[in-house]
Amino acid sequence: MSDILQLLSKPWIGSALGIVGILAAIVFYTRSRRISRLSFQKDEVAIIGGSGAAFPEEVQITFGDARVDRVTATRYVVWNSGNTTLSGTQIVDADPLRLELESSNKVLKAEILRASRSVNAVTLRAHDTRVSTVDIGFDYLDPNDGFTLEVIHSGPKFDLHLCGTLRGLPDGVTNCGRSAWYFDRRLRQMPFPFGMSMKLVIWTSLVFGCLVTVIGLMTPLLLHWFPSLAERRASEPASMRWPILFAGVTYIILPVLLLWLKRRRYPACLEPSLDEGNTEQDDRPNVDSASASSS
């Protein structure tokens, strides 16, 4: 008992306990706060028209009987990222929750790909008068409840926006940036050597960077063990460590940055596959070859 009291009497112990108490108070206060927040991440890909389109300009698309010169597919993941329940009655009638095109283009198709629970009763409804708008509704969203939407429209990329006002959310819907599968699709297109997968390249770079960093930190010790290496250096032997450390840290930072960019913020149940979508042909735009449509 006396040993414990003697240890607690040291000044640095009291300072450490004070810091831990302050950090614990901050954590408990943050968790106890009631936060209402609706967030989204999005992904867009040009199918026809625009830069980076999936099909060349020679391919034409018709929706119904009308030709469409540009088609873009946009996916939204919307979820309750707060710790309170959001009710559909919080949506303001004067500014409803909706997906809206900036330009005069029109929405060709809108569908729900995923929903956390069917009882959330998520609905999409075409606007009565504006072909560029799709209204969104739901019964309620508990924390981490949400839904994934896909909208096919004739506007360019970055033209479709999630708008609307909910009571209790003065800052509106929070934009959390690009979705995880946006980076997955682009990383899969990178020319990795020898057919290596993206994950294998990332983890190989991480392991190699850690090994190089360890070698850089141990350079003085290695030069002491192998004096012949130090004799070959005209400059100070310890200066060898900095280029090695720089190379090792670079190999660590790059894959860590890729992992950070492709992190998923929304619940895992809302993650769609890269090729997921409605496969009913009569509901999709019709793709015709250039030779068939040139006549």
Side-chain angles (χ1 to χ4, degrees), residues 20-292:
V20 171
I22 293 174
L23 294 177
I26 293 175
V27 170
F28 285 121
Y29 171 74
T30 302
R31 291 195 172 187
S32 64
R33 291 178 56 197
R34 293 178 58 85
I35 301 174
S36 297
R37 184 186 298 120
L38 186 66
S39 301
F40 74 88
Q41 285 186 270
K42 64 182 294 188
D43 179 29
E44 294 181 289
V45 59
I47 300 177
I48 293 292
S51 59
F55 295 96
E57 295 182 357
E58 289 77 13
V59 177
Q60 295 181 357
I61 288 184
T62 58
F63 191 80
D65 296 329
R67 173 181 170 180
V68 182
D69 295 328
R70 178 172 53 205
V71 176
T72 303
T74 304
R75 288 181 176 181
Y76 276 87
V77 180
V78 186
W79 78 101
N80 182 355
S81 57
N83 55 15
T84 62
T85 299
L86 298 176
S87 173
T89 58
Q90 293 178 242
I91 300 176
V92 179
D93 294 336
D95 188 22
L97 188 65
R98 65 195 184 278
L99 292 168
E100 186 172 16
L101 291 166
E102 286 186 358
S103 59
S104 58
N105 294 287
K106 64 179 179 178
V107 174
L108 305 177
K109 180 184 178 182
E111 63 176 333
I112 302 172
L113 297 182
R114 294 285 181 94
S116 54
R117 293 184 294 171
S118 59
V119 293
N120 296 139
V122 182
T123 59
L124 296 180
R125 185 176 62 86
H127 197 274
D128 296 333
T129 58
R130 295 194 297 270
V131 296
S132 61
T133 303
V134 176
D135 293 329
I136 303 173
F138 57 85
D139 186 5
Y140 73 97
L141 295 176
D142 281 335
N144 289 325
D145 278 347
F147 47 91
T148 303
L149 310 173
E150 182 178 65
V151 179
I152 299 175
H153 56 91
S154 60
K157 294 199 311 185
F158 313 111
D159 194 49
L160 187 68
H161 299 281
L162 181 61
C163 311
T165 302
L166 279 75
R167 299 179 183 88
L169 276 72
D171 297 331
V173 187
T174 303
N175 185 353
C176 293
R178 292 287 188 180
S179 61
W181 72 82
Y182 172 87
F183 295 99
D184 284 339
R185 185 175 65 244
R186 281 147 183 79
L187 288 173
R188 289 185 182 185
Q189 297 173 355
M190 294 180 66
F192 294 134
F194 312 113
M196 298 172 64
S197 66
M198 180 264 298
K199 289 185 178 180
L200 181 58
V201 171
I202 289 178
W203 288 110
T204 301
S205 179
L206 276 174
V207 172
F208 180 75
C210 292
L211 290 176
V212 172
T213 302
V214 170
I215 292 174
L217 293 173
M218 295 180 60
T219 297
L221 186 59
L222 293 175
L223 293 177
H224 177 72
W225 289 344
F226 304 98
S228 59
L229 294 176
E231 293 175 356
R232 298 177 184 179
R233 297 285 300 175
S235 60
E236 181 67 23
S239 64
M240 294 177 58
R241 68 160 60 181
W242 302 116
I244 298 176
L245 284 174
F246 178 79
V249 171
T250 301
Y251 273 97
I252 293 175
I253 289 177
L254 292 179
V256 168
L257 179 62
L258 288 177
L259 291 173
W260 181 82
L261 288 174
K262 68 185 298 291
R263 74 194 188 282
R264 184 184 65 241
R265 298 186 180 184
Y266 46 84
C269 64
L270 301 178
E271 175 77 13
S273 62
L274 294 179
D275 55 352
E276 184 175 8
N278 196 334
T279 57
E280 297 180 7
Q281 295 297 328
D282 51 354
D283 286 339
R284 282 189 169 274
N286 301 314
V287 181
D288 300 322
S289 64
S291 60

